[in-house]
């Protein structure tokens, strides 16, 4: 029998900061003390997932309407070279994670990417991000 860890790896998450009123924070701490959640993060993560489930149909419709890639979209140097060589440019639209391989040069990125719109996280080298800064929404 094998055990699969369903928790996301640190590289699969993004840290956010929230501000809570003292009463709300106290209520969160009370639920943690009473054993409903293992810690504050567990409660907040659960609350966010519940809200996302509540709005799942709206999210699905919006993803479809806006032609967003849902999940992970990774672009390799070969992918971008093929786009450039075909005389085309990408309009990257992702809900999740968009990433550009570390071996992609800023020049190749500029030549092959027209625009980037990411709801979530965008990973690329500092040089590529700087070269594409005016194309990132």
């Amino acid at each position: 029998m094998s055990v699969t860890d369903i928790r996301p790896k640190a590289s699969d998450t993004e840290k956010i900061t929230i501000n809570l009123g003292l009463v709300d924070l106290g209520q969160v701490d009370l639920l943690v003390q009473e054993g409903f959640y293992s810690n504050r993060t567990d409660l907040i993560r659960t609350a966010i997932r519940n809200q996302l489930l509540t709005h799942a149909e709206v999210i699905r419709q919006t993803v479809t309407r806006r032609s967003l890639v849902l999940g992970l979209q990774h672009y390799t140097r070969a992918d971008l070279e093929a786009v450039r060589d075909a005389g085309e440019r990408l309009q990257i639209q992702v809900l999740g994670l968009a990433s550009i391989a570390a071996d992609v040069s800023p020049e190749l990125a500029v030549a092959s990417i027209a625009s980037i719109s990411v709801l979530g996280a965008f990973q690329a080298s500092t040089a590529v991000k700087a070269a594409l800064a005016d194309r990132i929404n």
Side-chain angles (χ1 to χ4, degrees), residues 75-93:
Y75 296 93
T76 65
R77 188 179 77 209
D79 295 334
L80 297 181
E81 287 172 343
V83 168
R84 179 200 59 201
D85 294 347
E88 299 174 0
R89 293 173 72 203
L90 295 174
Q91 293 184 356
I92 297 171
Q93 297 185 88

Side-chain angles (χ1 to χ4, degrees), residues 3-136:
V3 175
T4 303
D5 190 356
I6 60 171
R7 292 174 295 178
K9 294 177 267 177
S11 62
D12 295 339
T13 64
E14 186 80 14
K15 182 178 268 189
I16 63 170
T17 302
I18 64 168
N19 295 315
L20 286 178
L22 297 177
V23 173
D24 292 337
L25 184 59
Q27 291 176 6
V28 167
D29 287 343
L30 179 65
L31 290 172
V32 170
Q33 282 181 351
E34 291 298 310
F36 288 95
Y37 300 93
S38 59
N39 54 44
R40 290 173 172 176
T41 300
D42 184 31
L43 181 145
I44 293 165
R45 193 178 291 129
T46 299
I48 290 170
R49 285 184 184 138
N50 288 340
Q51 285 300 302
L52 292 173
L53 284 173
T54 298
H55 299 289
E57 183 59 23
V58 171
I59 293 169
R60 187 195 63 73
Q61 290 174 0
T62 303
V63 166
T64 300
R65 184 182 77 247
R66 293 174 66 181
S67 300
L68 296 168
V69 172
L70 181 60
L72 167 67
Q73 184 69 50
H74 180 70
Y75 296 93
T76 65
R77 188 179 77 209
D79 295 334
L80 297 181
E81 287 172 343
V83 168
R84 179 200 59 201
D85 294 347
E88 299 174 0
R89 293 173 72 203
L90 295 174
Q91 293 184 356
I92 297 171
Q93 297 185 88
V94 175
L95 190 154
L97 171 65
S99 64
I100 297 176
D103 63 347
V104 171
S105 69
E107 297 78 20
L108 176 57
V110 167
S112 58
I113 299 172
S115 66
I116 300 174
S117 178
V118 178
L119 299 169
F122 174 53
Q123 295 177 345
S125 70
T126 303
V128 167
K129 283 184 177 180
L132 295 173
D134 64 334
R135 301 169 192 205
I136 299 172

